[in-house]
Amino acid sequence: MPEPIEWLEDGTPYSPRFGDRYRSESGGYAQARQVFLEGCGLPGAWAAQPQWRVLETGFGLGLNFLVTWQCWREDPARPALLHFFSTEAYPASGDDIVRALRDHPALLPLALELQAKFQGLMPGFHRLWFESGQVLLTLCIGDTKLMLREQAFEADSIYLDGFSPTKNPDIWDLHTLKSVARCARRGTRLATWTVARSVMDGLRECGFQVFKTPGVAPKRDNLAAVFDPAWEPRRNTASEPQRMAPAVCVVIGAGMAGAACASSLARRGWKVLVLDAGDQPAQGASGLPAGIFSPHVSPDESPLSRLSRAGVSATIQAAEALLDQGTDWAQTGVLQRRFDASGALPPDWPEAGEFWSRGATPDLLAAAGLQGTEGSPGVHGALWHAAAGWIRPHKLVKALLDSPSIEVRCATFVAGIERIVERAAWRILDAGGNEVAEAQLVVLAGGASSPGVLEHFQRGHAQQIEVALAPVHGELAWSLHPQDSGSGYSSLPPIPPLPPFPVNGNGNFIPRFATDGASEASAHPPAWLMGATYDRDPSAARSVAPQAELLGRLQQLLPRSAGLMEPRGAGPAVKSWSGVRCVSPDRLPVLGPVNEALLPGLWLCTAFGSRGLTLSILAAELMASWLHAEPLPIEKRLARSLLASRCVTVRPGPGGATST
């Protein structure tokens, strides 16, 4: 439930919980500009910088974020990327954010954009995209100290803006200030409205040089500080990937993972070359006609469950910025049938979680033709994922690669790579051993083909690299809808109503998605899709043909729809599509350096299994955040669980000895 707010007679928002105003009596806008931006030397301090990272304690009604965003928008010398990291234990509603700005019409359009994304705020991290990903708000719901422990970035500016130290002492105590200081670099400027002695003393103890500045009436003084400790700060970065300045990067693989990595790096100033063996992007596992993005649910809130919610959010925001709603993707919601007990919601599922997943209502079950079937043996109910939907992967891949900083070379088979130690770079080789490119950073994002590139590397080197990844073959079936396919079948009897949304479970079914038509008259004829098989050994003899297996799964998932998918005479042919996915032993993605000590600048971004549409955008942003000391889009512990080192072993080769 959003934090309740009372509105005083003068229109000032007031917190009953803390007995304090959200802003000064003279109005919040002046306070945000003078206390925080000017107190941190903004906008001058960020001029000509590639990016700027702001840390705030106490998001409140988002005024400091909105004013900083507005300032960034208006500044011709602004950084290419603005990060705003903020903590909030008790988030307000989006409606209250907009109401608080009724006297500031210049901020209202920005507030409305924030309101549209200000939902589903469960405890933890939420990455919100604005300005096509050039302004990134990382909003952390929870205690400031706990949230900052889950971060690993260096702030350029710090805003301390909690309620009064006498009303909410926890956000101003020494432990919180130490957590803030751990995110500061030497020279980071800090600003706040309070001049409480305890805050000044705490900041000095944490290494800040503190001084008073003129206040905003009725206050006489504000506080500013610069992080300049007498000691050399120690950074616990042993478990974090090393940072790299933007240079030249080669991404191997032009599917979802490769395109997402290329896009994230290009927005941060990298010159990216994408290489792929196919004749065009999205020819591998990302070439399916359409797919589902949807959160994973587990009673214990497993890492995959938390990761998938963040992934769904990232996918939606990328699609909103890059694709056409209705033809390239649609946030229709997805119904998930549960055929075992593992897919249940946690017993303490919060109200905010219902934005993501909740129990399916009778109306939703009836729309899918499932009335009366949910109590049958082996069925454990159904969930409704309201934020989920379908997407056409090749459209998103194409949009992600559409950047002047990205070059795509298809029909280019990468046979291996070689390390150029004297130039701290990598040489990319084709099958004949010829150099294709040279780069400081190489990202292997080719799914099941990535281990093959590493196998070539170990020839003639002192290391043998073993990667614990397994290929999984999958096949699906799809066809145009007969009654409106535009292919001469309009005289056939119409198919009875299918579900108005995709259904997931043991397999999945997308009842309607747009396709590319053969003519202008049928620009986007609708189609249906059912999938997908999951074969670890596709060469093994099959007792059932793939399409028959798919139909059998659909009969279990959606009995009514399965009957509609039976052959109907002269209708459009049912087509097959197959691809090879890649999975890790723990079913989590593999992201990070192969081995930084021995092979610096060589990264993996792979093993998304059947969740590439859900997780690729998020993984690419996480990779970019690690490389540039940015705020992480997910909790540090969760991010570390994806590191490639858990699946990669480097052993001594025949020609020498080394360490794992």
Side-chain angles (χ1 to χ4, degrees):
M1 180 178 180
E3 179 73 354
I5 293 176
E6 294 179 3
W7 296 86
L8 305 181
E9 290 184 3
D10 62 358
T12 302
Y14 178 85
S15 169
R17 182 186 298 274
F18 294 104
D20 201 1
R21 295 168 178 255
Y22 275 88
R23 63 192 186 205
S24 71
E25 298 91 324
S26 59
Y29 186 85
Q31 177 176 293
R33 294 287 306 202
Q34 184 174 331
V35 175
F36 295 105
L37 272 80
E38 293 179 18
C40 288
L42 300 176
W46 69 31
Q49 295 297 314
Q51 61 173 260
W52 200 257
R53 296 153 293 201
V54 179
L55 185 159
E56 178 189 51
T57 58
F59 186 76
L61 292 170
L63 183 60
N64 290 335
F65 166 65
L66 294 169
V67 172
T68 304
W69 178 10
Q70 180 195 45
C71 180
W72 176 89
R73 263 190 158 190
E74 295 172 346
D75 184 9
R78 63 178 178 257
L81 194 65
L82 173 64
H83 270 285
F84 198 99
F85 175 93
S86 187
T87 64
E88 178 57 59
Y90 307 102
S93 70
D95 290 343
D96 282 331
I97 286 175
V98 173
R99 180 176 177 180
L101 293 171
R102 62 184 181 184
D103 295 329
H104 301 290
L107 291 178
L108 191 56
L110 305 185
L112 291 170
E113 286 192 50
L114 177 59
Q115 178 192 37
K117 299 178 185 290
F118 214 75
Q119 47 193 334
L121 298 180
M122 296 175 65
F125 284 25
H126 300 268
R127 171 63 61 83
L128 307 182
W129 299 28
F130 304 93
E131 306 285 354
S132 298
Q134 289 185 273
V135 174
L136 298 171
L137 168 62
T138 307
L139 182 59
C140 301
I141 307 302
D143 178 78
T144 296
K145 291 184 285 291
L146 297 178
M147 295 296 101
L148 288 175
R149 286 176 195 159
E150 291 294 334
Q151 264 301 336
F153 77 103
E154 291 182 351
D156 301 301
S157 303
I158 297 174
Y159 303 166
L160 301 185
D161 194 25
F163 288 112
S164 167
T166 60
K167 305 285 188 179
N168 185 19
D170 285 350
I171 203 170
W172 301 98
D173 67 14
L174 184 59
H175 295 295
T176 301
L177 297 179
K178 286 182 176 179
S179 298
V180 168
R182 281 193 290 270
C183 292
R185 57 169 174 79
R186 193 177 294 277
T188 294
R189 295 177 67 169
L190 176 150
T192 183
W193 55 269
T194 184
V195 291
R197 172 60 59 183
S198 61
V199 175
M200 296 174 68
D201 291 345
L203 288 172
R204 290 191 180 103
E205 185 174 341
C206 293
F208 287 90
Q209 306 299 314
V210 180
F211 49 94
K212 292 182 180 179
T213 60
V216 177
K219 286 182 59 62
R220 184 177 65 184
D221 299 311
N222 295 322
L223 200 64
V226 177
F227 187 65
D228 189 19
W231 61 90
E232 190 59 35
R234 290 186 298 174
R235 303 294 180 192
N236 183 19
T237 58
S239 60
E240 309 300 334
Q242 294 178 9
R243 296 158 185 172
M244 296 183 69
V248 177
C249 172
V250 166
V251 176
I252 301 175
M256 270 297 305
C261 289
S263 178
S264 288
L265 293 173
R267 279 192 289 116
R268 290 161 173 85
W270 288 78
K271 189 70 176 176
V272 185
L273 171 63
V274 180
L275 303 175
D276 195 276
D279 57 3
Q280 59 182 316
Q283 289 293 285
S286 299
L288 69 164
I292 291 174
F293 59 91
S294 179
H296 176 270
V297 172
S298 59
D300 60 349
E301 268 285 81
S302 68
L304 181 57
S305 296
R306 289 179 282 128
L307 189 69
S308 67
R309 282 199 302 274
V312 166
S313 177
T315 300
I316 290 172
Q317 293 182 88
E320 287 175 334
L322 299 172
L323 302 181
D324 292 330
Q325 171 84 271
T327 56
D328 298 333
W329 76 292
Q331 191 177 344
T332 55
V334 171
L335 183 73
Q336 179 186 336
R337 298 198 70 192
R338 294 174 47 227
F339 294 101
D340 57 47
S342 64
L345 291 171
D348 55 349
W349 195 240
E351 182 180 337
E354 294 186 3
F355 170 81
W356 303 100
S357 304
R358 60 180 184 267
T361 62
D363 287 348
L364 289 168
L365 296 174
L370 292 172
Q371 274 184 318
T373 66
E374 287 303 287
S376 56
V379 178
H380 292 253
L383 297 175
W384 175 246
H385 305 304
W390 61 265
I391 195 167
R392 302 170 70 194
H394 73 283
K395 290 289 189 178
L396 183 53
V397 167
K398 180 180 178 181
L400 289 167
L401 295 175
D402 185 14
S403 165
S405 298
I406 299 174
E407 178 188 353
V408 181
R409 290 188 205 164
C410 292
T412 304
F413 176 73
V414 175
I417 55 176
E418 288 182 353
R419 180 71 179 156
I420 312 172
V421 177
E422 62 273 16
R423 292 206 293 275
W426 291 90
R427 180 181 293 120
I428 316 302
L429 306 174
D430 64 15
N434 303 306
E435 180 177 312
V436 175
E438 182 181 312
Q440 286 69 45
L441 174 66
V442 175
V443 181
L444 303 179
S449 67
S450 297
V453 178
L454 295 175
E455 287 173 7
H456 181 279
F457 167 79
Q458 56 197 45
R459 296 182 210 160
H461 291 76
Q463 299 91 15
Q464 289 184 337
I465 305 172
E466 299 175 5
V467 186
L469 300 177
V472 177
H473 184 271
E475 187 161 338
L476 55 82
W478 71 282
S479 180
L480 298 176
H481 281 282
Q483 71 271 27
D484 49 8
S485 66
S487 303
Y489 300 110
S490 57
S491 61
L492 290 176
I495 292 180
L498 295 172
F501 41 72
V503 181
N504 216 348
N506 181 19
N508 60 72
F509 182 66
I510 304 177
R512 191 178 185 91
F513 67 93
T515 65
D516 291 326
S519 66
E520 207 172 302
S522 58
H524 298 288
W528 57 263
L529 179 150
M530 61 181 177
T533 61
Y534 197 88
D535 300 322
R536 289 189 173 276
D537 183 9
S539 64
R542 302 178 61 96
S543 58
V544 180
Q547 285 200 15
E549 179 183 337
L550 291 171
L551 188 58
R553 291 190 182 196
L554 188 59
Q555 286 169 342
Q556 183 187 31
L557 183 67
L558 289 169
R560 184 182 72 177
S561 296
L564 305 177
M565 297 300 104
E566 296 285 359
R568 291 169 56 86
V574 176
K575 305 174 185 178
S576 294
W577 180 92
S578 62
V580 179
R581 295 159 288 186
C582 180
V583 296
S584 67
D586 59 10
R587 298 297 187 274
L588 291 176
V590 173
L591 175 68
V594 172
N595 186 303
E596 282 190 315
L598 301 171
L599 310 169
L602 179 60
W603 278 58
L604 278 168
C605 183
T606 187
F608 294 98
S610 57
R611 297 188 178 274
L613 297 177
T614 299
L615 299 178
S616 292
I617 301 291
L618 174 66
E621 283 295 292
L622 176 57
M623 178 188 72
S625 298
W626 266 327
L627 287 171
H628 300 96
E630 299 172 6
L632 302 179
I634 55 176
E635 292 85 344
K636 184 164 57 178
R637 282 178 295 178
L638 182 56
R640 286 175 177 169
S641 72
L642 309 182
L643 282 171
S645 55
R646 76 188 198 279
C647 295
V648 177
T649 303
V650 182
R651 302 185 186 280
T658 186
S659 59
T660 300

